[in-house]
Amino acid sequence: MKRPLHYVDADSVFYMSKDFTNFRLFPLFVDKDAEFRRPQADKNRFKARQKRWQEKILPTVNIVGGAGDEVGEAQAFGAASAIFEAADLFLHTADAHYMNIVERALYNAVPETFFGLSTVIDRRVAATAMLVASCCTYATDKQGIYVNLYSNSYAHIATKDFDVRIDQVTNMPFLAQVKFRFGGIDAKGQTLTMRFRIPEWVTTDMPLYVNGHDTPYEIINGYAVVKRTWKTNDEVYFILPIDPHFEEHGDSLIMRSGPMLYTFDTLPADAVPEEIVSSEEDEQSQMFFYDVRFSTTAEEKVYTAKPYLLSTDNKRQLWVRKKH
């Protein structure tokens, strides 16, 4: 890119949620002394940092956005390293790949550090990483806006080229619907190119509706791109496929719901998943737990799957045997 993107300042985005999806306030509840580090575009170091990303960092990033063994090792430092580097490199590339890594860490490795029995330094590092991510929800160029993260929020996005207010109404990652409502635009309208990130875990077509009409879009660098003249009260709506399911990774399976991964208490060695049979909202966390029927050589039995971020016992199991 000739010119790097700019993130919308974290002070211009107001998160409405009261849980860990409030990337601005929740980390300060965890550690009031967490430091805010603003992502930086550094043109002079870009090539060296991109090489380091490809050769040193990306090969170590695991399925939860941290590093090392997802179950047996602390994830805070690996997740922070991935978020810091990805947030900076995205400004030079406008590639959804980097925001996919940020999202992966935000919904798994980082909150697991908050809810688990982590050290003080681990919690501070994770809180700092989430504060960095609070800058990443929106980015801009001269043509328009990149929507990088899906979280219930209000943003006032003002540049020298345009001025717009956006309500993002969603309960991601727990519910699938995402709606954007535009405001603060004068009567003649505002021509903008809007880019909505298509998460790495979306593997099917994702219909996108503008003011209730199914609207075609290009996919560029992992973003659904819609260019039009926007007016106050215009709305964009789409549904992200977050239904829980198992998916293949190498010789094993993982269970996920949108960006969130799920774990089980230790399963028998020959247990094979057959069916997700029911779901229930946990009263304390208000997150969904799922009952999954497994078969073994001896019997069929139901085991409960719970979000990785709430599963802190070293006996938990993330990887599941693939059925052959």
Side-chain angles (χ1 to χ4, degrees):
M1 295 179 63
K2 292 183 179 180
R3 296 180 180 178
L5 304 179
H6 297 278
Y7 286 122
V8 174
D9 193 280
D11 290 335
S12 297
V13 181
F14 302 91
Y15 297 95
M16 306 300 184
S17 57
K18 297 180 180 179
D19 56 21
F20 72 96
T21 62
N22 188 323
F23 307 135
R24 183 66 165 160
L25 293 182
F26 193 84
L28 296 176
F29 291 140
V30 173
D31 189 333
K32 63 181 178 60
D33 295 320
E35 298 180 5
F36 183 78
R37 173 192 177 279
R38 191 178 304 279
Q40 298 289 333
D42 187 343
K43 186 176 181 180
N44 294 327
R45 297 180 57 212
F46 167 64
K47 289 186 177 179
R49 294 184 71 178
Q50 191 176 46
K51 181 179 180 181
R52 180 171 177 268
W53 173 265
Q54 292 292 338
E55 296 180 357
K56 301 292 185 181
I57 298 178
L58 187 58
T60 69
V61 176
N62 59 28
I63 195 68
V64 299
D69 179 8
E70 298 93 341
V71 174
E73 299 179 25
Q75 297 297 313
F77 282 86
S81 178
I83 287 175
F84 295 163
E85 290 294 330
D88 290 353
L89 289 171
F90 171 78
L91 293 172
H92 293 282
T93 63
D95 191 331
H97 159 73
Y98 295 102
M99 286 299 115
N100 286 333
I101 298 296
V102 171
E103 180 190 66
R104 191 190 302 182
L106 281 178
Y107 289 119
N108 296 285
V110 168
E112 188 267 352
T113 302
F114 296 157
F115 295 121
L117 300 176
S118 305
T119 65
V120 172
I121 187 62
D122 282 338
R123 291 165 69 84
R124 179 159 298 175
V125 167
T128 299
M130 184 173 278
L131 283 176
V132 170
S134 71
C135 286
C136 298
T137 299
Y138 297 99
T140 64
D141 60 12
K142 290 179 67 65
Q143 289 73 43
I145 299 169
Y146 289 78
V147 181
N148 296 321
L149 300 173
Y150 299 113
S151 183
N152 201 29
S153 60
Y154 164 83
H156 181 193
I157 303 175
T159 74
K160 65 180 181 180
D161 301 298
F162 53 83
D163 190 328
V164 64
R165 292 167 172 79
I166 297 179
D167 281 304
Q168 183 180 163
V169 183
T170 184
N171 197 24
M172 277 289 295
F174 312 115
L175 297 175
Q177 295 81 5
V178 185
K179 179 187 288 186
F180 296 87
R181 183 180 298 114
F182 292 78
I185 303 172
D186 60 30
K188 66 180 181 180
Q190 175 68 64
T191 300
L192 289 174
T193 301
M194 293 295 303
R195 302 173 179 90
F196 302 93
R197 182 177 60 90
I198 302 174
E200 61 182 343
W201 39 268
V202 174
T203 58
T204 59
D205 291 340
M206 186 184 78
L208 183 149
Y209 301 89
V210 177
N211 297 331
H213 300 285
D214 192 348
T215 302
Y217 57 83
E218 287 187 275
I219 299 178
I220 300 176
N221 287 342
Y223 287 82
V225 181
V226 179
K227 181 179 180 180
R228 72 192 302 269
T229 298
W230 302 90
K231 297 181 179 180
T232 290
N233 294 325
D234 278 352
E235 290 186 347
V236 174
Y237 175 82
F238 51 86
I239 296 176
L240 292 168
I242 66 168
D243 289 343
H245 64 280
F246 285 90
E247 62 181 46
E248 295 186 0
H249 278 261
D251 294 330
S252 301
L253 300 170
I254 59 168
M255 181 176 162
R256 73 156 69 243
S257 171
M260 296 178 65
L261 297 179
Y262 277 73
T263 66
F264 299 86
D265 292 338
T266 303
L267 299 169
D270 61 345
V272 176
E274 296 290 347
E275 181 185 12
I276 300 172
V277 293
S278 65
S279 65
E280 184 175 349
E281 188 173 4
D282 178 60
E283 291 184 4
Q284 183 173 357
S285 67
Q286 296 185 328
M287 299 181 200
F288 287 104
F289 288 16
Y290 295 95
D291 287 336
V292 181
R293 181 168 55 84
F294 283 80
S295 64
T296 70
T297 54
E299 62 178 350
E300 288 191 350
K301 189 175 180 180
V302 171
Y303 292 84
T304 299
K306 57 184 177 180
Y308 174 89
L309 63 94
L310 296 179
S311 175
T312 57
D313 190 329
N314 284 341
K315 295 181 179 180
R316 60 187 167 165
Q317 185 167 330
L318 177 67
W319 301 98
V320 180
R321 179 182 175 184
K322 187 188 299 185
K323 186 174 183 177
H324 296 286

